[in-house]
Amino acid sequence: MKRIKIAHVFDRATELVGQEVCVKGWVRTHRGNKYVQFVALNDGSTIRNLQIVFDMNNFTDEQLKPLTTGSAMAVTGMLVESQGKGQTIEIQARELEVYGTADPETYPLQKKGHSLEFLREIAHLRPRTNTFSAVLRVRSTLAYAIHRYFQERGFYYLNTPLITASDCEGAGAMFQVTTLNLNDMPRTEEGAVDYSCDFFGKPTALTVSGQLEGELGATALGAIYTFGPTFRAENSNTPRHLAEFWMIEPEVAFIDIDENMDLAEDFLKYCIRYALDNCRDDIDFLAEHYDKELVNRLESVINTDFVRLSYTEAIDILLASGHKFEFPVSWGVDLQSEHERFLVERHFKRPVILTGYPKEIKAFYMKQNEDGKTVRAMDVLFPAIGEIIGGSEREENYDKLMTRIEEMNIPMKDMWWYLDTRRFGTVPHSGFGLGFERLVLFVTGMTNIRDVIPFPRTPKSAEF
Ligand code: ATP
Ligand code: MN
């Protein structure tokens, strides 16, 4: 008999009750007595377990003994309305096949309620828990929502390189990529490492952002987005930073900073709405177990206009608040998470888009304002998260861009290709980067970024 997924058994229950079905999955619990035994079966397609009932007139203890928590099985039997409470339907087992067993002495996921910290140590098995299967389904659905959003609006999916020779993005420390023998480096006459012997003939690293190549795409295709892994060797052990994370970077020709903000706001609301509409079981489960306010928070973000505020106004608000911050505030400082969260959670109580940052604390490519001091940067700040998006209108004027590059001493010798966008048919354009895991954090209500990516990469940790 052809196997059917447990999610579909629940979805099509009215039609399937009274029929034989075959399901396959992993045993979550097994209990019962010598007359009747019950297995709660999960196959990863839904947070819900399907109850399998074994009438012990038809099965032996010996047959059911291997069905311990974590073991895998296939069962065929009649789908019926459940007599017991706690579930609506169940399968009356007729035929059982056991695949792999899981020794109760050594299988680590015995009892419920393991701490998230413990589960990080067994990241290879944690997708089998309710929490992580829910998070991973939400993550997958959000990835789909992102592609849908852009594809439906005529953005092209552009794949930018992961290995790059440009070291000017300034977004954070980079991981070097080399095939040179670290124990026996070829040296130039001056004693420096001789990269002409390296694989690419020059120093290369893993990318910290696809933006610069994204701009090449946008100034040809009109509107593109990237969605791929990004690497930052920042040694910051925070609940919001990973060394390897996924970033979505739309880049659009002919739009200014205001239209860029409209895009960011509409895009975020679409993704959150999509998850609520398509992962409600999982989000409800996570809300119940981790964050009672989760659904309210998601709904409120979808249903409110984001505040748009200049950096200068934000500094004034923070100064006037009289709040004692760990990092003192003054015009010109980079905002810390505590400042961002104060604005969002305490002052405005809704998402905030900050613009007009001092040029000194932002990247060289951001469009300069007429005041000579600020640039058209925008950070989208979210409750519980802080910065979720960073973006800007880009400086399209060749001379202004070059002046800024020289002022900031940016090594541009390998960047001629980027400057060509400003030499040939340059146009106003804008874009932003969304950290995928920060969006997944927000939607799932989890609080540590290590718990929303299957295999987190952080300082001193690259297991699995
Ligand atoms: P932060 O100030 O939080 O370190 P950033 O200003 O360095 O972020 P950007 O360079 O603007 O970040 O990157 C765009 C987006 O990528 C950020 O808004 C954030 O959502 C995400 N992001 C940045 N660094 C990380 C990281 N190490 N791990 C996960 N997501 C990140
Ligand atoms: Mn940023």
Side-chain angles (χ1 to χ4, degrees), residues 4-17 45-48 50 79 88-89 278 281:
I4 153 166
K5 287 192 180 174
I6 290 175
H8 295 149
V9 174
F10 281 111
D11 288 347
R12 295 167 48 202
T14 12
E15 161 205 343
L16 292 174
V17 162
S45 63
T46 162
I47 191 82
R48 292 198 269 178
L50 185 57
L79 188 72
T88 50
I89 48 171
N278 291 279
D281 282 0

Side-chain angles (χ1 to χ4, degrees), residues 378-399:
M378 58 172 229
D379 278 10
V380 182
L381 313 179
F382 255 36
I385 302 293
E387 179 185 331
I388 194 162
I389 278 179
S392 68
E393 186 171 339
R394 319 305 187 189
E395 181 56 76
E396 83 272 19
N397 180 290
Y398 181 87
D399 294 330

